[in-house]
Amino acid sequence: MVAAVDIDGRAAQLGINWSEINLDSIQLPPGDDFGIASDDEAVYHDDQSEFDTGFGNIIVVDHLPDVLREKYEKLEGVVKKIYNQLGVIRENGLWMPVGPDTKTLGYCFIEFNTAQEAQNAKEKTHGYKLDKSHIFDVNKFDDFDRLMNVKEEWEPPQARPYSPAENYQKWLTDEKARDQLVIRHGADTEVYWNDPRQKKPEPVHKRPYWTESYVQWSPLGTYLVTLHKQGAAVWGGADTFTRLMRYQHSMVKLVDFSPGEKYLVTYHSQEPSNPRDASKVEIKVFDVRTGRMMRDFKGSADEFSIGGPGGVAGASWPVFRWAGGNDDKYFAKLSKNTISVYETETFSLIDKKSIKVDNVVDICWSPTDSILSLFVPEQGGGNQPAKVALIQIPSKVELRQKNLFSVSDCKMYWQSSGEYLAVKVDRYTKTKKSIYSGFELFRIKERDIPIEVLELDNKNDKIIAFAWEPKGHRFAVIHGDQPRPDVSFYTMKTAQNTGRVSKLATLKAKQANALFWSPTGKYIILAGLKGFNGQLEFFNVDELETMATAEHFMATEIEWDPTGRYVATAVTSVHEMENGFTIWSFNGNLLYRTLKDHFFQLAWRPRPPSFLTAEKEEEIAKDLKKYSKKYEAEDQDVSLLLSEQDREKRKALKEEWEKWVMQWKSLHEEEKLARQNLRDGEVSDVEEDEYEAKEVEFEDVIDVTEEIVQESM
């Protein structure tokens, strides 16, 4: 290894100024690390064939027209236009051979940046009909070598011994029915079992520099994705976390899974050299299992910045919104005056055209069905009302529409089962000087999709937060003025009146600005984050009673586990003190706390939907006492074990203390004569029996009060 001093000395000899060199721009030759181990070796130490620069990134396109030199550039432009949509063609990467008669020979070679792009281009354009006489025949250059080396005589393939693959769903079979969570702190990423019985998390897997930004679970918990300069990678398993696939997308910044985990969307943006220009954005869609790129999208950040909660470099994220359900059939992108809906069979637009909607600013899919909701604000200075519409996909039929007047803004909230859609509408008063809010409630599953209007008791209250109960018919609203707004609960269905929304209760003056429902419903946390310093109220909505109040000072994150049994609160590195996380029970009991310096992220591993029917789940709920006896006995055993361990720990501490005291007493006795000599023979140590104890009584008058009592007649 070369010392840094030697490098600086050599640079000075060559007249090189280190401050003027961008080290990130230096690219080493492929396959040569110059003896310097990569800090990403854990991710890319094996199987580098995916990134090798052989002939795998070159395709041969046959059956092109034979044209003379004067039409060469025109044909070249047509071919580039077709293939630039499918990948990045390298500089001077398209070559059409020309014969002695200066006519092209009817084929060309195209070199892409990656083998994945070449494979994608081959699959998408093989059989492409340029015109009636010219239908593309596309092959990869590597195929020619393979076909030329086919042996004359057939040899049967060698049978490989069967080795069972790892069960990547094994984590769901944990005997203690525990859930996993991943955390990032400092340079480390760790996966734990949440083990409240042991009052601490149980380590599963730890790896330094596992990711270069953040990690993310897939929606069903099968994969953990990490981000790197070369691209993204997914990992799986219960404890081994084997790398399953990589997806090449240089300097990837964001990722998103489809609901059924079939596809992974990656995002990269590049800052322009001219500050006045928009950032360049590249988005790729990969098949998760095969790693094959299915489609890519390129453009400026302005083209991807309409709608959504925001992303990086001005683009909204996620750019593509996936349709509800786990079949991953459709995804949509919002553009100016346009909604582009793609189907995943060919990754092309449905009916080869987008949906034109003037001034559309937001779209949102039903979580369970292929129904798209959209919002269009007022136009023409209020002459054309705002509207919310529901569109069925793929038919593009409008199922329902509601015109809205004097609208300032709208926000759409789908209920997790797709039964209801709540639209929060902010409206101007008649004077246009203030704004009040209300809700339009769509009953999606009912005939003709009826709509109800809900206004708060005080319609001038500001709405701070809204949240549907998962798998239920209730919702909660925080409304009013800070610092102590009210919290109201409503239901869309009651035993007496199933067709009207009704209020259940209003909790007055709560220190809350965020709502966190349990994934199973019934319980909710009324949280006061940021300015409220981590106030927590655990509330039972069935009984309309507070179970517990607590505080996690400076808490920045709150997340329920997928079963609704436990909840994690965390203080991330936005605060310098008390970084780490705390685990609570569903009813607000603090179970344990773990401190981690430079704490960045916590995420529970999601669980896939249960295979049990609703009837079976109801049957289990009825017989819960029978099943719970087993776990209560296990809990008792663990409790006794922990008590025994605690007793042993206290006993060991007591023995250690007594040993320490005896050592000091022995030392004190050994130095007795030395202390006496230092005091010229005066005995300085006095035994207890040389003391005389005396009791002294002392009286003192504190106060004197005179009171005249009159005799009653």
Side-chain angles (χ1 to χ4, degrees):
M1 298 295 289
V2 181
V5 176
D6 298 334
I7 296 175
D8 291 338
R10 182 61 175 162
Q13 291 177 6
L14 298 174
I16 298 174
N17 185 356
W18 281 113
S19 63
E20 297 178 356
I21 297 178
N22 179 9
L23 297 178
D24 291 334
S25 66
I26 299 174
Q27 299 292 327
L28 298 178
D32 193 348
D33 60 5
F34 290 90
I36 303 172
S38 170
D39 60 357
D40 204 15
E41 186 178 0
V43 179
Y44 294 103
H45 70 282
D46 60 340
D47 188 17
Q48 287 292 323
S49 60
E50 189 175 334
F51 302 108
D52 287 345
T53 57
F55 297 113
N57 61 331
I58 300 175
I59 62 172
V60 183
V61 183
D62 203 358
H63 296 170
L64 291 175
D66 299 336
V67 299
L68 294 171
R69 173 63 69 180
E70 53 266 23
K71 292 186 177 181
Y72 183 97
E73 291 185 2
K74 183 177 181 180
L75 177 60
E76 184 182 47
V78 170
V79 174
K80 281 186 176 180
K81 184 176 180 181
I82 294 170
Y83 285 97
N84 273 329
Q85 301 177 49
L86 303 172
V88 179
I89 300 176
R90 290 189 173 181
E91 187 177 355
N92 300 321
L94 191 152
W95 178 53
M96 284 190 292
V98 178
D101 55 356
T102 70
K103 288 181 67 176
T104 59
L105 300 178
Y107 61 90
C108 73
F109 300 89
I110 302 176
E111 184 179 7
F112 290 94
N113 264 353
T114 68
Q116 284 183 336
E117 291 176 337
Q119 179 67 26
N120 183 52
K122 173 193 170 184
E123 294 177 0
K124 293 291 178 65
T125 60
H126 182 70
Y128 177 82
K129 193 173 183 180
L130 187 63
D131 55 41
K132 291 182 180 180
S133 304
H134 300 91
I135 300 174
F136 287 0
D137 187 0
V138 185
N139 292 281
K140 293 187 70 174
F141 192 86
D142 280 351
D143 291 342
F144 289 92
D145 281 340
R146 179 176 56 82
L147 295 173
M148 292 296 292
N149 293 325
V150 173
K151 296 181 179 180
E152 295 293 334
E153 295 183 4
W154 178 79
E155 293 181 1
Q158 293 182 353
R160 295 182 179 179
Y162 171 74
S163 58
E166 181 182 357
N167 178 11
Y168 296 116
Q169 304 296 328
K170 185 181 177 183
W171 61 277
L172 292 168
T173 64
D174 178 59
E175 292 182 354
K176 299 179 183 178
R178 298 173 299 179
D179 282 287
Q180 288 186 346
L181 66 155
V182 63
I183 66 169
R184 288 193 309 112
H185 61 96
D188 296 331
T189 301
E190 298 183 75
V191 179
Y192 288 102
W193 287 112
N194 172 39
D195 201 336
R197 287 176 172 175
Q198 301 292 341
K199 305 296 184 183
K200 61 181 180 180
E202 180 183 316
V204 176
H205 193 83
K206 179 179 179 179
R207 189 174 299 190
Y209 303 104
W210 198 356
T211 182
E212 294 185 26
S213 56
Y214 68 97
V215 296
Q216 181 175 320
W217 295 108
S218 59
L220 304 180
T222 308
Y223 309 108
L224 181 70
V225 64
T226 57
L227 306 187
H228 311 272
K229 289 182 180 180
Q230 300 93 329
V234 295
W235 313 74
D239 47 26
T240 58
F241 284 92
T242 307
R243 190 183 67 239
L244 305 179
M245 186 54 63
R246 294 178 297 194
Y247 313 91
Q248 187 177 3
H249 192 171
S250 179
M251 306 302 291
V252 60
K253 294 182 178 180
L254 297 168
V255 294
D256 184 42
F257 282 94
S258 61
E261 302 184 339
K262 295 178 183 176
Y263 304 105
L264 178 70
V265 183
T266 60
Y267 173 100
H268 164 69
S269 64
Q270 183 176 354
E271 295 296 328
S273 55
N274 187 342
R276 291 175 293 182
D277 295 338
S279 300
K280 297 296 182 181
V281 169
E282 182 181 25
I283 299 173
K284 295 183 179 183
V285 184
F286 294 93
D287 183 292
V288 170
R289 292 197 175 187
T290 65
R292 184 160 61 93
M293 188 182 72
M294 309 306 295
R295 171 106 193 234
D296 67 342
F297 301 83
K298 299 174 184 177
S300 67
D302 295 340
E303 298 176 45
F304 301 101
S305 61
I306 301 175
V312 295
S316 304
W317 189 256
V319 171
F320 296 111
R321 326 284 175 83
W322 289 91
N326 292 332
D327 53 5
D328 296 346
K329 291 181 67 175
Y330 308 107
F331 62 96
K333 179 176 76 75
L334 181 62
S335 304
K336 186 176 181 181
N337 301 326
T338 302
I339 302 172
S340 302
V341 184
Y342 300 84
E343 48 83 16
T344 54
E345 187 174 345
T346 63
F347 279 85
S348 58
L349 289 169
I350 294 177
D351 300 332
K352 298 184 178 180
K353 58 182 178 181
S354 299
I355 304 172
K356 300 295 182 182
V357 184
D358 289 342
N359 209 31
V360 59
V361 296
D362 196 13
I363 59 174
C364 194
W365 286 98
S366 161
T368 55
D369 303 296
S370 298
I371 299 176
L372 192 65
S373 62
L374 62 90
F375 167 59
V376 178
E378 290 183 349
Q379 302 177 61
N383 294 325
Q384 188 172 341
K387 73 172 182 179
V388 173
L390 300 175
I391 298 176
Q392 182 76 57
I393 300 297
S395 64
K396 301 182 183 178
V397 173
E398 187 173 88
L399 302 176
R400 194 72 161 88
Q401 177 181 315
K402 179 68 181 287
N403 289 332
L404 306 168
F405 298 89
S406 301
V407 173
S408 167
D409 193 18
C410 275
K411 179 67 176 176
M412 297 178 287
Y413 302 91
W414 279 93
Q415 184 250 10
S416 63
S417 301
E419 293 189 53
Y420 311 109
L421 170 66
V423 181
K424 181 176 78 73
V425 184
D426 299 331
R427 287 185 168 93
Y428 294 108
T429 58
K430 290 183 179 180
T431 61
K432 302 284 187 179
K433 292 183 179 180
S434 60
I435 292 174
Y436 66 97
S437 301
F439 293 94
E440 305 282 336
L441 304 171
F442 292 68
R443 296 179 180 269
I444 305 298
K445 303 294 184 180
E446 296 184 18
R447 184 177 178 181
D448 298 328
I449 310 182
I451 304 172
E452 288 183 73
V453 178
L454 173 65
E455 290 187 349
L456 303 177
D457 294 340
N458 181 358
K459 70 177 186 179
N460 293 321
D461 276 359
K462 179 183 178 182
I463 294 175
I464 299 169
F466 174 95
W468 283 105
E469 176 186 26
K471 302 178 182 178
H473 305 280
R474 297 174 291 198
F475 60 89
V477 183
I478 301 179
H479 56 93
D481 297 324
Q482 302 279 23
R484 288 190 171 271
D486 298 337
V487 181
S488 294
F489 296 94
Y490 296 84
T491 181
M492 299 290 288
K493 187 179 292 186
T494 61
Q496 296 78 18
N497 191 348
T498 58
R500 295 288 299 174
V501 62
S502 58
K503 185 167 75 170
L504 298 173
T506 295
L507 312 178
K508 295 291 187 179
K510 294 294 181 180
Q511 284 187 289
N513 56 11
L515 299 164
F516 298 91
W517 282 95
S518 163
T520 57
K522 185 177 179 179
Y523 306 112
I524 190 172
I525 297 176
L526 314 178
L529 304 179
K530 298 180 180 178
F532 289 126
N533 290 327
Q535 298 294 323
L536 306 172
E537 182 171 346
F538 296 79
F539 194 79
N540 183 335
V541 185
D542 280 2
E543 305 297 331
L544 294 176
E545 64 180 13
T546 298
M547 299 180 290
T549 57
E551 180 185 70
H552 187 174
F553 186 62
M554 297 188 296
T556 56
E557 309 289 336
I558 298 178
E559 186 173 344
W560 284 88
D561 86 323
T563 66
R565 297 175 296 171
Y566 307 103
V567 64
T569 58
V571 178
T572 56
S573 58
V574 295
H575 298 295
E576 295 182 358
M577 299 173 58
E578 298 294 324
N579 278 199
F581 65 95
T582 300
I583 300 296
W584 312 77
S585 66
F586 72 94
N587 57 352
N589 291 328
L590 194 157
L591 301 176
Y592 63 86
R593 177 169 289 163
T594 301
L595 298 179
K596 297 284 186 181
D597 290 336
H598 305 293
F599 188 78
F600 300 122
Q601 183 183 2
L602 179 147
W604 291 97
R605 190 171 193 171
R607 285 178 174 264
S610 172
F611 290 115
L612 298 176
T613 62
E615 293 77 14
K616 187 63 177 177
E617 288 185 355
E618 187 175 347
E619 178 186 334
I620 293 173
K622 288 180 180 178
D623 298 333
L624 194 59
K625 288 185 178 180
K626 180 178 70 175
Y627 295 106
S628 64
K629 289 180 180 178
K630 170 190 172 184
Y631 298 105
E632 287 173 357
E634 291 180 1
D635 288 346
Q636 183 67 23
D637 293 342
V638 172
S639 179
L640 291 173
L641 178 62
L642 290 176
S643 298
E644 182 62 30
Q645 290 174 348
D646 192 42
R647 282 194 295 270
E648 292 294 331
K649 183 178 179 181
R650 289 200 300 269
K651 182 180 178 182
L653 289 173
K654 182 182 178 183
E655 291 176 351
E656 184 180 353
W657 164 254
E658 291 175 346
K659 181 180 178 182
W660 183 85
V661 170
M662 290 302 297
Q663 287 176 345
W664 279 102
K665 281 186 175 180
S666 176
L667 181 62
H668 183 267
E669 188 64 28
E670 292 174 3
E671 295 176 346
K672 182 177 180 180
L673 183 60
R675 290 195 300 275
Q676 186 174 344
N677 292 333
L678 288 172
R679 290 174 172 80
D680 298 327
E682 184 71 25
V683 178
S684 60
D685 297 337
V686 181
E687 301 297 334
E688 288 187 10
D689 54 7
E690 296 183 19
Y691 288 100
E692 180 181 355
K694 293 183 179 181
E695 288 188 9
V696 179
E697 292 185 2
F698 178 76
E699 293 184 1
D700 190 11
V701 178
I702 298 174
D703 191 14
V704 177
T705 303
E706 182 178 344
E707 184 177 352
I708 300 174
V709 179
Q710 295 181 351
E711 285 190 23
S712 58
M713 298 299 293

